[in-house]
Amino acid sequence: MRHLLTLVAAASLAPMSASAQDAPATPAGKEALALLTRGIAFRTVEGQGQVPAYAAYLKQQLVSAGFADADVAFVPMGETGYLTARYPGRDRGGKATIVLGHMDVVQADPKDWTRDPFTPVVEGGYVYGRGSLDNKAGVSTAVAALMKLRRARWVPQHDVVLVLTGDEETTMKTTRAAAAAFKDAGLVLNADAGGGSLGDDGKPIVYGVQAAEKVYGDWHLTVTDPGGHSSRPGPRNAIASLAAALVRIAAYRFPPEQNEITKASLAATAKGTPGPLGDAMRAFVANPADTAAADRISADPRYVGQVRTTCVPTMVSGGHAPNALPQRATANINCRIFPGTSRAAIETRLIALTADPSITVALFDNGTIEAGASPLDPKVMAAVRAVAARRAPGLAVVPLQEAGATDSMHFRARGIPSFGVGGVFMKPGDIFAHGLNERVPVATIDPAVSWWEGLLTALG
């Protein structure tokens, strides 16, 4: 009953009033803002069961814009599920284009936030709330663009299918199911990746197309021991053994790697990067075996994920009493693996780094999958460049490799070209996805709707 009352309250929340600086100028932008503020109010975190309610709200909006009721469907999977909306094309037998996003968000503790994370606030030129950026801004602007196109009676050459998953932030079971359901798709355009960077003056400086992402992996390290009284320590201690292994893993640098995406990205970035960092980028592009150049790039937190696999300890626990020798100690090692390197190879390296056969190393299955990069598609890149030029003439467009993980991996693993082409432009310092006081600029909403409208019509 508590969930039902929360859902009713979220579904009935009215769009928030806004001052001039807090309001988009166009009807489609205003609609996107309404979609976003209503969307934030749905507490779509794991365990709350609100993804179906959010999906029902989005279906209602899509049908009101002219989508056939039968073409908008929600596939339930436990407490969550995924939403699809088919936009029919002229050639019904061709390969569909998927517009991808996710409805779920990561958890947020209200006591840590300045504002309640699930009460949308439009203030000072920003929309605040959990998921305002990741990924409800992308969902809202893409949906608003599709609604605008539907009302205008635009007809694409092939079907366009909106696919919104419900557990991207956790197990990705809905993503896996959606990728299987649309295994014959021809292209994926992901609203949860890519995007534009703004300078301090608010002007666009570069747009990144996500064409690859690192493979996610969590390994659990476990040490067990009979334990005993703390006054009689022996030669081995479970916590100490685990700690020594963690130090070795944390200090290890994986060999540098390069692919078509990172090579092109670093080459483009180097042009606007002065000093030793730019020199290192050029050197590494010319010679991927240049370890010194890779180390210089890795020293910058903005690029540490671009040149090699990284593995870091993220969680640790051990012991059962302050006056007893520990019987068990565990740790989580989180790895972001360079595409093309197998998780089996990483596990072998982790086992070697522990240097202790008593430590078990086991991969935790959280629904991620190994997937390579998507070869750069000239048609997609040309369309992005054309839309980017309308957004900001002369804007540089560069391919990029995501250090994190997105739904695209499940489509790439099936051989479907997938590109992160989100329409949000932000200053890097404004990005608080997964963090406190997450926000998205109101000023990006109108251009983001136009971005999706232009990109779909250019490709359609």
Side-chain angles (χ1 to χ4, degrees):
M1 180 60 71
R2 179 175 60 85
H3 287 179
L4 177 61
L5 291 174
T6 304
L7 296 178
V8 171
S12 62
L13 187 70
M16 300 197 57
S17 61
S19 65
Q21 68 170 337
D22 292 332
T26 69
K30 289 181 171 65
E31 190 163 53
L33 178 61
L35 290 167
L36 177 56
T37 54
R38 289 282 293 274
I40 291 169
F42 289 98
R43 195 183 183 100
T44 54
V45 299
E46 184 182 27
Q48 295 296 310
Q50 291 202 21
V51 167
Y54 181 34
Y57 164 69
L58 291 173
K59 175 174 180 175
Q60 180 186 52
Q61 301 307 304
L62 289 161
V63 171
S64 72
F67 279 76
D69 184 86
D71 285 339
V72 187
F74 180 72
V75 180
M77 296 181 66
E79 63 138 6
T80 184
Y82 67 93
L83 177 72
T84 66
R86 185 174 291 273
Y87 194 131
R90 293 188 297 274
D91 179 5
R92 301 307 307 276
K95 290 183 175 291
T97 292
I98 304 295
V99 176
L100 183 63
H102 66 88
M103 297 178 286
D104 63 311
V105 300
V106 299
Q107 184 57 273
D109 190 339
K111 72 176 185 295
D112 297 329
W113 284 56
T114 303
R115 308 161 186 82
D116 182 84
F118 297 101
T119 300
V121 174
V122 184
E123 179 181 280
Y126 292 93
V127 182
Y128 290 89
R130 173 57 85 219
S132 56
L133 175 59
D134 186 11
N135 173 235
K136 289 176 179 176
V139 168
S140 300
T141 53
V143 167
L146 287 167
M147 291 167 64
K148 180 182 179 182
L149 289 168
R150 189 66 177 167
R151 292 188 184 107
R153 301 185 184 279
W154 173 71
V155 181
Q157 181 177 351
H158 304 296
D159 287 4
V160 173
V161 183
L162 177 71
V163 176
L164 302 179
T165 64
D167 58 355
E168 190 267 357
E169 301 290 6
T170 53
T171 62
M172 290 191 174
K173 290 180 181 177
T174 64
T175 314
R176 191 174 301 186
F182 294 98
K183 62 182 183 297
D184 296 324
L187 175 66
V188 169
L189 304 174
N190 193 347
D192 186 36
S197 291
L198 303 178
D200 291 338
D201 59 359
K203 295 180 179 179
I205 54 177
V206 66
Y207 183 86
V209 178
Q210 188 240 52
E213 57 193 293
K214 299 181 89 171
V215 177
Y216 185 102
D218 281 317
W219 275 267
H220 291 178
L221 275 58
T222 305
V223 187
T224 57
D225 189 80
H229 201 285
S230 61
S231 67
R232 297 191 296 273
R236 185 171 179 273
N237 181 288
I239 292 177
S241 297
L242 180 64
L246 296 180
V247 169
R248 288 189 290 271
I249 291 171
Y252 181 74
R253 286 184 178 271
F254 285 83
E257 297 183 75
Q258 190 181 101
N259 59 28
E260 175 196 15
I261 309 303
T262 59
K263 183 177 181 178
S265 179
L266 288 171
T269 305
K271 295 177 181 178
T273 306
L277 181 57
D279 293 339
M281 290 177 177
R282 284 182 283 273
F284 184 65
V285 166
N287 178 16
D290 190 334
T291 303
D295 289 346
R296 176 64 186 84
I297 297 168
S298 293
D300 190 305
R302 294 172 297 176
Y303 307 108
V304 64
Q306 299 302 304
V307 297
R308 52 166 50 96
T309 293
T310 60
C311 289
V312 295
T314 54
M315 297 178 69
V316 64
S317 66
H320 58 284
N323 58 351
L325 298 174
Q327 297 173 355
R328 183 182 181 88
T330 63
N332 187 83
I333 302 296
N334 179 254
C335 297
R336 306 297 177 134
I337 307 165
F338 204 91
T341 299
S342 71
R343 286 192 281 200
I346 298 302
E347 184 168 310
T348 298
R349 174 53 57 189
L350 290 176
I351 292 171
L353 288 170
T354 63
D356 186 341
S358 70
I359 300 178
T360 63
V361 179
L363 175 67
F364 174 71
D365 183 9
N366 64 349
T368 59
I369 194 171
E370 295 182 20
S374 294
L376 294 178
D377 185 328
K379 182 179 179 182
V380 172
M381 295 302 291
V384 171
R385 289 191 183 98
V387 179
R390 292 202 291 270
R391 177 73 169 80
L395 182 64
V397 174
V398 301
L400 60 84
Q401 176 174 282
E402 186 86 25
T406 72
D407 281 329
S408 288
M409 69 174 75
H410 287 278
F411 292 88
R412 287 197 184 103
R414 291 182 173 274
I416 303 171
S418 303
F419 301 95
V421 288
V424 171
F425 281 63
M426 293 182 67
K427 297 177 183 178
D430 278 344
I431 297 174
F432 302 116
H434 290 209
L436 291 176
N437 305 314
E438 184 178 355
R439 65 188 188 181
V440 71
V442 174
T444 200
I445 293 176
D446 268 332
V449 175
S450 296
W451 177 275
W452 278 106
E453 181 183 4
L455 190 60
L456 290 170
T457 54
L459 289 169

